[in-house]
Amino acid sequence: MLENPIWFGNKLISWYLQNKRDLPWRETKDPYAIWLSEIMLQQTRVAQGLPYFEKFLTQFPTVFDLANASEEQVLKLWQGLGYYSRARNLHATAKHIAFDNKGKFPSTYEGLLKLKGVGDYTASAIASICFKLPTAVVDGNVYRVLSRVFGIATPINSTSGIAQFKALAQKLIDPSCPGTFNQAIMEFGARFCVPSNPDCSTCIFSDVCIANKQKQVPYLPVKVKKAVVKNEFYNYLVCLFKDRKTLMEQRTDRGIWQNLYQFPLIESKKQLQVSTLKKDQEFIRFSEQINIQSISKFNDRVIVHKLSHKHLYTTFWILEIDALYEGGVPFSEIHLLPVPVLIQNFIYSFLPFKN
DNA sequence: AACTCGGGGCG
DNA sequence: CGCCCAGAGTT
């Protein structure tokens, strides 16, 4: 029954007609006003975009008024809304429509798609709302509603996911009122099927929603997060006590290498030299507890250890300590401790010199 | 396919 | 603080 497009659309539109907000762009089918609203609402909440929509329509009632304004004027009025390339593209497209097209917007999906700043979503929205064409919109709301109701776990920001959700929305759209269908599914996602803690018990789809039945609502839609590779600077303090012992500590914090061992670690914001290490607050606190005789770098050239999400720029510091230490780990025993490869490689290259 | 572009609201 | 918002353009 979920595969019955008419049933899905009817239920959705019925909900929409009873629950929709009164919004100014719902009072018109003028392509200029609809286009303006759709550009403004890209990645922007209705509440944030609404006052800008009013301001723009007052200052630029027609596409000719917008086209005849200066870019500076347009950007000034856009100020605070963010994503300023939208404003520049808006202005460029207004000039194109006004001066090259006699003020007339394209009336096909393909024609609309050619406009600067108009992608698949916006072209589909204008085509369906203004020209009654059956082009399905897929925005953040649609991803959420469809992934949950149909139980689709394909990442929404993957190439296959984008195609899959577009195809499903296209199959579901009511060709007799595509504009209403598109606005209904978006409104439903924005007002009812919300990202966190939706009230599934009173949902019109509660009995058929796959995510609801399988208790997967909090986990849908799936989105793969881009692995931002961060650069971090690690300084391992390799202590040499007179009795051939050193200091090792266990990583207990959540994160990489949990519960593995390492030499005392100082993280810094950039690469350190002996002089700058000595000024580091964490190093100062460390050195106050022991009598450091000498400081030298083991690796003159920084060792880059690459993880999937971070690059560790690592320096091993050799600290000769003029003392004995009861709690230390004998160098002859450090191979018994679980350590990261980064540490293991160091030990292999360092120990031959000490044995 | 991954990056970049903003400001604001919310848990 | 991280996620998300009526996405699109560039690399």
Side-chain angles (χ1 to χ4, degrees):
Chain A
M1 49 179 165
L2 269 181
E3 296 303 323
N4 182 344
I6 299 301
W7 176 86
F8 179 82
N10 284 350
K11 202 147 183 163
L12 204 53
I13 290 168
S14 169
W15 176 91
Y16 174 67
L17 295 179
Q18 297 173 41
N19 295 280
K20 67 171 179 172
R21 291 166 287 184
D22 290 324
L23 297 170
W25 47 84
R26 288 184 177 155
E27 310 293 319
T28 178
K29 292 191 175 179
D30 173 18
Y32 171 64
I34 298 298
W35 164 70
L36 183 60
S37 73
E38 294 300 346
I39 300 297
M40 283 184 168
L41 293 175
Q42 288 168 6
Q43 292 293 287
T44 305
R45 290 170 186 278
V46 166
Q48 188 185 2
L50 190 49
Y52 287 84
F53 179 78
E54 308 278 21
K55 282 197 300 183
F56 267 74
L57 268 195
T58 300
Q59 186 128 2
F60 310 119
T62 72
V63 71
F64 295 100
D65 300 308
L66 181 56
N68 285 316
S70 69
E71 181 174 292
E72 195 176 307
Q73 263 181 295
V74 176
L75 283 171
K76 183 62 183 175
L77 206 57
W78 195 274
Q79 187 179 102
L81 197 53
Y83 283 148
Y84 296 93
S85 67
R86 290 186 296 173
R88 295 191 298 271
N89 288 334
L90 183 85
H91 189 220
T93 292
K95 289 201 279 192
H96 168 64
I97 297 292
F99 304 142
D100 303 335
N101 221 3
K102 300 178 182 175
K104 210 164 169 56
F105 276 80
S107 58
T108 65
Y109 169 83
E110 293 76 12
L112 290 162
L113 197 55
K114 290 196 177 85
L115 303 176
K116 278 188 184 176
V118 174
D120 174 74
Y121 163 80
T122 304
S124 300
I126 299 173
S128 64
I129 294 170
C130 302
F131 306 112
K132 290 201 166 197
L133 294 173
T135 49
V137 297
V138 182
D139 73 336
N141 295 305
V142 177
Y143 280 124
R144 191 166 53 252
V145 173
L146 294 184
S147 69
R148 287 174 176 172
V149 174
F150 293 89
I152 301 170
T154 312
I156 61 174
N157 55 346
S158 66
T159 302
S160 63
I162 292 169
Q164 184 180 3
F165 283 98
K166 175 76 180 182
L168 177 56
Q170 196 58 50
K171 190 172 81 174
L172 294 169
I173 194 170
D174 185 342
S176 72
C177 52
T180 304
F181 175 92
N182 278 338
Q183 295 192 72
I185 192 169
M186 289 191 286
E187 186 82 342
F188 184 70
R191 306 275 292 175
F192 199 97
C193 193
V194 291
S196 62
N197 300 318
D199 184 13
C200 296
S201 63
T202 63
C203 177
I204 55 174
F205 295 119
S206 64
D207 53 339
V208 295
C209 177
I210 307 263
N212 183 41
K213 291 196 285 188
Q214 298 183 354
K215 303 200 181 304
Q216 297 297 307
V217 172
Y219 311 112
L220 291 171
V222 173
K223 196 171 187 176
V224 292
K225 34 181 111 178
K226 36 192 157 187
V228 275
V229 177
K230 286 171 54 183
N231 293 329
E232 297 183 353
F233 297 89
Y234 278 15
N235 301 275
Y236 283 113
L237 307 182
V238 183
C239 297
L240 306 184
F241 292 104
K242 292 241 177 257
D243 48 359
R244 303 182 62 76
K245 287 181 176 177
T246 189
L247 278 178
M248 297 288 280
E249 62 185 21
Q250 190 176 28
R251 291 181 70 103
T252 53
D253 287 358
R254 202 171 60 81
I256 61 171
W257 301 334
Q258 186 174 9
N259 291 353
L260 273 61
Y261 289 81
Q262 64 184 7
F263 301 102
L265 170 65
I266 290 178
E267 286 191 49
S268 56
K269 299 191 177 195
K270 55 179 186 176
Q271 253 175 271
L272 298 181
Q273 305 303 322
V274 174
S275 56
T276 47
L277 173 67
K278 285 179 177 174
K279 292 177 193 162
D280 184 272
Q281 283 304 315
E282 211 176 328
F283 181 78
I284 291 172
R285 281 196 297 277
F286 179 81
S287 61
E288 280 169 357
Q289 303 172 23
I290 53 180
N291 184 14
I292 299 175
Q293 203 166 36
S294 71
I295 304 174
S296 63
K297 280 185 177 181
F298 172 74
N299 52 309
D300 208 26
R301 198 178 313 162
V302 69
I303 297 169
V304 184
H305 188 74
K306 296 186 176 181
L307 304 174
S308 64
H309 56 305
K310 54 178 70 173
H311 292 177
L312 307 178
Y313 293 79
T314 309
T315 304
F316 289 90
W317 298 89
I318 309 299
L319 310 181
E320 289 193 83
I321 312 298
D322 186 20
L324 303 178
Y325 190 66
E326 296 178 5
V329 181
F331 274 104
S332 59
E333 290 178 20
I334 60 175
H335 67 279
L336 298 174
L337 298 174
V339 297
V341 166
L342 175 62
I343 303 289
Q344 185 72 295
N345 290 343
F346 164 78
I347 292 173
Y348 277 149
S349 58
F350 179 67
L351 270 192
F353 297 105
K354 307 311 294 179
N355 280 340

